[in-house]
Amino acid sequence: MTKRVALSWSGGKDSCLALDKLTKQGVEVACLITTVPIEIGRTFGHGEKMELVNLQAKALDIPVEFISCTFEDYTNSFANALKSYKHQYQLDGIAFGDLYLEEHREWGEQLAKDTSLEPIYPLWGRKEDALHLLATFVQSGYKATVIRVREDVLDITWLGRQLDTAFIYDMMTKDCCPMGESGEYHTFVSDGPLFHAKIELEQPEIIKFETTQKYEFQKIKLIQKE
C-alpha cells in the first residue's frame, strides 16, 4: 500500500528536492503545506507571495494548503490544521525538507507525534554533506532562482542567480552553509522533471527588509509544457 504524506513546502530547492526524492521512493505526496503568518501575509519560510506557491502547486498538479497563523501561535495552528488534513487526505506521515539542524527536526517530530503521523526527513544528513546536496540539486534538472539573501552573508549580486555549476563554485568561497540552511539565501523553483508547466519570472524589483533583501517579480506567467 502506497504511503501518503503531506510535505511542508517553502517553494524552494530543499522542499522541491524532498518532493523529488519521496516520489522516486514511491511515496505519494498528497498535498503541500505552507504556513502564512497573518503578521506578514506571506509564506513563513521565504516571505513569498501566496500566488507564486499556488502556481507551483498547479505546475506540479499537487494541491496546496495554506495555514493561516500568527508567529505566537504558529505550532498550535500547524498542528490543528494538520489534524484536519490527516483525515482529508488520508495521510500516513508529514515530510520536511530539513537537512541537519537538530532543533528543526525536534520540532517536526513533536508535531508529528501530536498529530499521530510519521515524521519523514528524506534529505536528513550531516552538515558536511551540504555541498554534495547542492550539487545533487544542480544536477537534478530543476530550475531554482535565488530570491532572498541575508545581507550579513551575501550581497545583492546573488539575487536572481540560478543554481548552477558556477553557483556551486562561488558558494565554496563563502563562509556559510552551501545550502543556506541557516537562511543565508532562499530560492524559488520554477521548473523541473515533476513540473507539468513552468513558471516564468520577469521584471524583478528589490525589496529591502530588516536584515535581508528580496527579489519581487512583477510579471509572472505559467507556461504549459508541450
Side-chain angles (χ1 to χ4, degrees), residues 1-5 26-29 90 92-93 118 120:
M1 190 172 177
T2 303
K3 184 181 294 184
R4 290 171 59 84
V5 305
V27 176
E28 181 181 354
V29 176
Q90 296 297 296
D92 302 299
E118 178 188 353
I120 301 171

Side-chain angles (χ1 to χ4, degrees), residues 4-15:
R4 290 171 59 84
V5 305
L7 173 62
S8 181
W9 183 260
S10 68
K13 63 184 180 351
D14 297 0
S15 51

Side-chain angles (χ1 to χ4, degrees), residues 157-182:
T157 62
W158 288 79
L159 286 174
R161 289 194 59 171
Q162 302 300 305
L163 268 61
D164 52 20
T165 303
F167 184 90
I168 296 174
Y169 285 118
D170 289 344
M171 186 55 64
M172 290 171 64
T173 69
K174 295 295 180 179
D175 184 23
C176 68
C177 174
M179 285 289 283
E181 180 70 344
S182 294

Side-chain angles (χ1 to χ4, degrees), residues 57-189:
K58 289 180 181 178
L60 290 164
D61 196 24
I62 302 174
V64 61
E65 298 287 353
F66 293 101
I67 299 176
S68 179
C69 60
T70 64
F71 287 121
E72 185 178 355
D73 202 41
Y74 182 91
T75 300
N76 285 335
S77 296
F78 202 129
N80 290 333
L82 192 54
K83 289 174 185 176
S84 174
Y85 302 148
K86 177 183 177 181
H87 297 291
Q88 180 181 346
Y89 292 100
Q90 296 297 296
L91 301 176
D92 302 299
I94 170 73
F96 301 92
D98 295 294
L99 308 182
Y100 57 78
L101 294 178
E102 288 291 347
E103 60 270 28
H104 288 189
R105 179 156 188 161
E106 289 171 5
W107 179 87
E109 288 183 339
Q110 185 61 53
L111 179 74
K113 182 179 179 181
D114 292 341
T115 52
S116 299
L117 289 168
E118 178 188 353
I120 301 171
Y121 290 82
L123 306 182
W124 192 259
R126 304 174 305 162
K127 186 176 182 178
E128 295 77 15
D129 298 329
L131 184 62
H132 174 72
L133 200 58
L134 176 60
T136 298
F137 180 86
V138 168
Q139 296 162 10
S140 68
Y142 291 96
K143 180 180 178 182
T145 304
V146 177
I147 59 165
R148 193 165 186 163
V149 294
R150 241 176 59 195
E151 290 181 297
D152 63 329
V153 181
L154 302 172
D155 61 42
I156 61 172
T157 62
W158 288 79
L159 286 174
R161 289 194 59 171
Q162 302 300 305
L163 268 61
D164 52 20
T165 303
F167 184 90
I168 296 174
Y169 285 118
D170 289 344
M171 186 55 64
M172 290 171 64
T173 69
K174 295 295 180 179
D175 184 23
C176 68
C177 174
M179 285 289 283
E181 180 70 344
S182 294
E184 296 93 336
Y185 70 96
H186 294 304
T187 59
F188 181 85
V189 180

Side-chain angles (χ1 to χ4, degrees), residues 52 55 143 190 198-202 217 219-223:
L52 275 171
L55 285 182
K143 180 180 178 182
S190 57
K198 60 182 179 179
I199 303 168
E200 194 172 86
L201 306 171
E202 296 180 345
F217 295 94
K219 188 176 179 182
I220 306 162
K221 186 163 54 176
L222 191 66
I223 302 174

